[in-house]
Amino acid sequence: MKFSKDIRYIGVNDHEIDLFEGQYIVPNGMAYNSYVIIDEKVAVMDTVDERFSAEWLKNLEKELAGRKPDYLVVQHMEPDHSGSVAEFMKIYPDTKVVASTMAFVMMKNFFGTNFEGRQLIAKEGASLDLGNHKLNFVEAPMVHWPEVIMTYEETEKVLFSADAFGKFGALDTEEEWACEARRYYIGIVGKYGVQVQAVLKKAAALDIQTICPLHGPILTENLGYYLDLYNTWSSYGVESEGVVIAYTSVYGNTKKAVLKLAEELEKKGQKVAVNDLARCDMAEAVEDAFRYGKIVLATTTYNADVFPFMKEFINHLTERNFQNKTVAFIENGSWAPTATRVMKTMLEKCANLKYTEAGVKIMSAVSSENEKQIEALADELCK
Ligand code: FEO
């Protein structure tokens, strides 16, 4: 696949993977993108997961048409991209590696060597001339690891964006970009909004016509759409109006209250996303929590704590710097309900959360008093 005469795609699709990064389901697989720039000097942009080394090296060889790469630019050391670096360096012993100082430290840790004598350090603002193309390096720490650099090629105005603007899903499957890009972003980079904002500021100063991420499709049109979404996500803004309800239910009573609340909210014209935390993809529920501006947490008291799936869910939120939301609680406890208190304590360190005055306290089954509380909560959430 070529997207320009001189910049060629040499990545691979992975349909064998069960869990990306050991935790995310990827029903449509995963793409590990890599590119080669053919000019007076030849630069390879990142490698792929080592399970696909042979396929990737074949793709590269075909595009090289007998030439040898001068540079391997390693933007990110996570093994889904660096897994073929050591093999590549054996096959092409004259190639230099271009990476951040921290990436070379990681190479020593991963491969037992940092390729001394073959290093070119890519600092912020440094550039590399390939002939007609010129690579400019942009440090992007914590998007998604500390060693990350992005690369701006100024002639064709291409931003090689590392993990940013990537998504789950292989490139030989059709699916909407935003859904799997959001689940990917919130899951993987969600905690590092401040760092993403810093990189977006740097990107705003560049004339970008194409974004080449390390996952997902090459973005060539309507780039403002993708940049706007990244701005919303990284500033923890509200992407979609509506209410997300995340719940657990042991015998169906909490669920009954949740469904009643959803019905009341929908009657009032609210969009509602309901997630049963014991059965849904946890990453989808986490994505929804960051997407909408209002969230209802509904769960049972359990071992004087909250039900395990809710505990896991709230941990996912707090470790990703959950903030700027309206939060409501529904709790259920047959003899000593403590779930609301526990959940509120778990959320204590989150910035700028607004709690509703209305809440629901179920003592075993949904009572007529609970129905009134649900109506009051629906009213408050629609204000
Ligand atoms: Fe796609 Fe952070 O590696």
Side-chain angles (χ1 to χ4, degrees):
M1 177 166 71
K2 293 182 186 181
F3 81 83
S4 87
K5 183 172 97 13
D6 300 326
I7 306 179
R8 325 262 175 93
Y9 180 83
I10 54 169
V12 297
N13 288 315
D14 180 359
H15 287 287
E16 293 162 15
I17 193 163
D18 61 342
L19 293 174
F20 180 66
E21 292 190 359
Q23 60 172 317
Y24 300 102
I25 57 162
V26 280
N28 284 335
M30 203 63 202
Y32 312 122
N33 297 340
S34 168
Y35 309 86
V36 59
I37 306 171
I38 309 285
D39 202 329
E40 285 164 30
K41 300 280 187 190
V42 173
V44 177
M45 305 300 295
D46 294 293
T47 79
V48 300
D49 188 291
E50 70 172 338
R51 293 175 295 117
F52 293 86
S53 288
E55 185 184 338
W56 171 72
L57 286 164
K58 221 165 113 194
N59 292 348
L60 171 62
E61 208 184 321
K62 198 165 151 234
E63 296 299 341
L64 288 173
R67 295 185 64 185
K68 299 276 182 246
D70 296 279
Y71 306 110
L72 171 64
V73 179
V74 176
Q75 300 187 108
H76 183 17
M77 275 303 293
E78 195 163 12
D80 49 338
H81 310 295
S82 70
S84 303
V85 168
E87 176 77 3
F88 172 97
M89 294 299 277
K90 251 189 254 155
I91 294 173
Y92 297 107
D94 297 324
T95 303
K96 291 211 156 39
V97 192
V98 184
S100 65
T101 306
M102 174 74 97
F104 285 110
V105 173
M106 290 183 175
M107 283 181 214
K108 181 100 180 157
N109 295 340
F110 273 112
F111 313 132
T113 172
N114 58 8
F115 306 106
E116 218 182 313
R118 298 172 70 185
Q119 301 178 350
L120 281 182
I121 309 275
K123 286 210 168 78
E124 174 80 22
S127 59
L128 186 62
D129 241 312
L130 302 178
N132 290 324
H133 295 78
K134 190 172 178 186
L135 303 180
N136 298 280
F137 301 109
V138 177
E139 290 174 355
M142 301 321 293
V143 188
H144 140 231
W145 278 12
E147 85 295 2
V148 170
I149 54 167
M150 295 184 188
T151 307
Y152 177 66
E153 196 294 298
E154 63 183 47
T155 305
E156 298 201 47
K157 304 185 190 322
V158 176
L159 179 69
F160 294 93
S161 61
D163 271 340
F165 302 100
K167 67 181 273 298
F168 295 128
L171 296 187
D172 53 1
T173 52
E174 283 281 316
E175 65 187 357
E176 190 211 350
W177 186 86
C179 185
E180 284 297 69
R182 188 190 305 105
R183 189 168 70 95
Y184 168 86
Y185 173 86
I186 300 295
I188 287 165
V189 199
K191 178 182 176 68
Y192 301 107
V194 171
Q195 290 83 349
V196 175
Q197 284 277 306
V199 169
L200 288 176
K201 276 203 189 86
K202 293 187 201 177
L206 302 170
D207 177 8
I208 301 167
Q209 285 179 5
T210 305
I211 297 176
C212 288
L214 287 176
H215 302 288
I218 294 167
L219 307 174
T220 54
E221 282 172 8
N222 199 11
L223 297 188
Y225 166 76
Y226 305 102
L227 288 160
D228 280 353
L229 278 176
Y230 255 62
N231 187 36
T232 303
W233 296 340
S234 57
S235 59
Y236 305 92
V238 176
E239 181 191 343
S240 307
E241 287 305 322
V243 181
V244 55
I245 309 178
Y247 78 96
T248 67
S249 189
V250 184
Y251 292 106
N253 290 303
T254 311
K255 181 177 179 177
K256 199 171 159 192
V258 162
L259 296 182
K260 168 88 179 143
L261 176 65
E263 190 188 318
E264 290 295 322
L265 289 167
E266 278 166 355
K267 262 197 247 162
K268 293 172 192 294
Q270 283 280 338
K271 177 163 172 33
V272 186
V274 179
N275 291 293
D276 174 350
L277 298 176
R279 293 174 179 83
C280 70
D281 168 21
M282 187 61 84
E284 283 277 356
V286 172
E287 170 194 348
D288 275 349
F290 282 84
R291 176 180 184 172
Y292 296 99
K294 297 166 188 173
I295 184 165
V296 180
L297 301 170
T299 194
T300 42
T301 300
Y302 189 81
N303 289 336
D305 205 313
V306 292
F307 205 65
F309 296 101
M310 179 58 79
K311 197 164 184 170
E312 184 190 341
F313 178 66
I314 295 176
N315 282 336
H316 280 298
L317 302 188
T318 54
E319 72 194 25
R320 286 172 178 75
N321 278 331
F322 188 67
Q323 54 187 283
N324 298 343
K325 308 287 176 188
T326 297
V327 182
F329 300 107
I330 297 176
E331 66 176 341
N332 194 347
S334 292
W335 60 94
T338 56
T340 292
R341 182 168 51 77
V342 173
M343 288 190 281
K344 218 167 169 177
T345 305
M346 287 182 79
L347 292 167
E348 233 163 33
K349 291 204 177 107
C350 296
N352 198 22
L353 297 186
K354 201 174 125 224
Y355 295 101
T356 58
E357 275 174 31
V360 182
K361 184 194 282 265
I362 306 164
M363 300 293 287
S364 302
V366 176
S367 64
S368 54
E369 178 60 24
N370 290 149
E371 302 219 340
K372 282 186 205 134
Q373 291 170 344
I374 290 168
E375 280 164 27
L377 180 55
D379 282 343
E380 190 175 345
L381 286 170
C382 291
K383 261 189 210 156

